[in-house]
């Protein structure tokens, strides 16, 4: 089967929810992938910040094989050792005391929203409203697309669930003014807006939001589905900002490529979930959690997080060199290995040209080229990838 044949199959049988590039990726190793025609690419997208250990990392392959031989799935009606161990690891390394496991980022945010509403019902006269930010992205379920601050994600899905409102990102005064004393229960926000264009807020924004939430009795909820699990050079994005949330959601990198999401909370908040409040058939099953444990271990003990900090600095320097050369680069943003270049023009043409030359990146928020390579990336791979990008940019 060649790229063309796979494309034909997709075209005939798969729902048309994606505008796909005309290649089918069939094999991967580290930061490299190959398409069905045998062409090799350097992968600076990593399944959109999912394959943090690179493709088919031996620790992940081993964890899948070992756990698959032992036990793949049982119901959450029973205790599941890898799930409890992964929960302990996540709590040990974060602000949180308890974890609810699910299968995706949207589900993790659903769980956060549901927990916030139950908490509001118990502790604050039934407050339920969630404030989120313009240009945010929180998922594609009805509740999470309603929280998402992008019109195009909501289009066509009326009537939307009640209880959501958006405020400008990185604007403390707007947050304060938007709070409805009778209704607002929490603020849902990404530490760095990812899909919204790699938007890093001011140094004091989150300290201000934390202080505001404490003063007005609101929950601070961080959507770390993309920033979490090492992507920004810290295990969790909030660590950059000197604050802790009350609830945090994870997914993307957590399962090393298997579908695994998580919602973490402080004990006093987590208590609002009791048996029967929420559930997921697959959530936290032995296989995905066995792999999640391997991901955490490799990140923390295998030196991957350290590597990502070093490589993030190298990457950032190289991007600044590009900015010095090309006047149509407006801005360079990001932390760790979550980086973006804001262009003066639309970025899709550049993404396509890079793909042609063997480099996978993507474009988000129309004008922002996004780089989320594996955290295991090597300096010579960064050099090679950015040389391709430089050549493509030079043709603009
Ligand atoms: C990807 C993403 C989501 C949605 O995750 P899914 O697994 O696609 O449901 C939610 N929030 C953020 C910040 C994301 O980047």
């Amino acid at each position: 089967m060649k790229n063309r044949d796979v494309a034909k199959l997709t075209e005939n049988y798969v729902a048309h929810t994606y505008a796909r590039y005309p290649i089918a990726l069939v094999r991967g190793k580290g930061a490299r992938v190959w398409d069905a025609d045998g062409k090799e690419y350097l992968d600076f997208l990593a399944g959109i910040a999912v394959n943090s250990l690179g493709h088919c990392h031996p620790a992940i392959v081993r964890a899948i094989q070992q756990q698959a031989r032992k036990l793949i799935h049982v119901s959450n009606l029973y205790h599941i050792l890898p799930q409890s161990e992964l929960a302990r690891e996540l709590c040990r390394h974060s602000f949180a005391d308890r974890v609810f496991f699910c299968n995706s980022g949207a589900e993790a945010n659903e769980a956060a929203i549901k927990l916030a509403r139950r908490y509001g019902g118990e502790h604050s006269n039934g407050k339920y409203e969630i404030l989120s930010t313009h240009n945010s992205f929180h998922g594609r379920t009805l509740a999470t697309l309603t929280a998402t601050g992008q019109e195009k994600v909501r289009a066509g899905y009326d009537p939307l669930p009640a209880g959501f409102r958006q405020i400008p990102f990185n604007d403390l005064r707007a947050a304060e003014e938007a709070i409805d004393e009778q209704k607002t229960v929490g603020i849902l926000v990404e530490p760095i807006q990812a899909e919204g264009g790699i938007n890093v807020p001011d140094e004091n924004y989150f300290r201000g939001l934390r202080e505001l939430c404490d003063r007005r009795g609101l929950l601070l909820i961080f959507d770390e589905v993309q920033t979490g699990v090492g992507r920004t050079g810290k295990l969790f994005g909030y660590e950059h900002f000197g604050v802790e949330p009350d609830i945090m959601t994870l997914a993307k990198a957590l399962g090393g490529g298997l579908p695994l999401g998580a919602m973490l909370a402080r004990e006093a908040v987590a208590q609002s979930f009791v048996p029967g409040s929420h559930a997921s058939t697959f959530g936290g099953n032995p296989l995905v959690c066995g792999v999640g444990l391997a991901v955490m271990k490799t990140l923390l003990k295998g030196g991957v997080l350290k590597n990502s900090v070093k490589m993030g600095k190298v990457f950032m320097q190289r991007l600044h060199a590009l900015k010095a050369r090309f006047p149509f680069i407006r801005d360079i943003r990001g932390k760790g290995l979550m980086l973006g270049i804001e262009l003066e023009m639309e970025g899709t043409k550049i993404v396509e040209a890079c793909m042609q030359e063997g480099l996978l990146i993507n474009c988000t928020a129309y004008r922002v080229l996004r780089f989320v390579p594996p955290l295991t990336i090597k300096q010579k791979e960064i050099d090679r990838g950015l040389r391709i990008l430089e050549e493509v940019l030079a043709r603009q």
Side-chain angles (χ1 to χ4, degrees), residues 1-140:
M1 280 252 212
K2 299 288 201 175
N3 284 329
R4 199 172 346 105
D5 306 311
V6 184
K8 188 105 204 159
L9 262 185
T10 310
E11 180 60 25
N12 286 343
Y13 294 107
V14 180
H16 289 163
T17 55
Y18 281 90
R20 292 172 204 264
Y21 297 111
I23 58 170
L25 300 172
V26 293
R27 192 161 62 84
K29 188 169 194 290
R32 293 178 301 165
V33 283
W34 288 265
D35 72 16
D37 295 354
K39 180 171 166 176
E40 181 182 321
Y41 303 85
L42 202 48
D43 187 2
F44 282 8
L45 185 61
I48 313 193
V50 167
N51 302 301
S52 282
L53 303 185
H55 293 279
C56 301
H57 189 285
I60 291 182
V61 174
R62 206 180 313 121
I64 291 174
Q65 288 173 337
Q66 284 178 354
Q67 188 58 50
R69 270 197 292 268
K70 215 186 286 173
L71 187 68
I72 295 174
H73 177 84
V74 286
S75 166
N76 277 304
L77 294 172
Y78 309 97
H79 296 282
I80 298 171
L81 178 59
Q83 178 183 131
S84 307
E85 286 182 324
L86 181 57
R88 180 182 59 192
E89 277 307 290
L90 291 170
C91 290
R92 268 187 184 160
H93 291 99
S94 75
F95 73 95
D97 302 305
R98 285 189 191 278
V99 185
F100 172 84
F101 288 105
C102 51
N103 316 287
S104 69
E107 280 176 274
N109 286 329
E110 283 275 343
I113 293 162
K114 289 178 74 174
L115 180 63
R117 285 192 177 187
R118 283 189 63 94
Y119 181 87
E122 280 181 4
H123 296 276
S124 55
N125 289 323
K127 288 201 281 188
Y128 59 87
E129 184 188 56
I130 304 280
L131 299 178
S132 57
T133 62
H134 295 154
N135 296 316
S136 61
F137 183 79
H138 299 298
R140 299 287 193 159

Side-chain angles (χ1 to χ4, degrees), residues 359 380-392:
L359 173 68
K380 62 176 195 292
E381 292 168 329
I382 294 176
D383 289 341
R384 185 149 50 92
L386 292 185
R387 221 175 301 126
I388 294 173
L389 178 65
E390 182 164 13
E391 281 161 23
V392 166

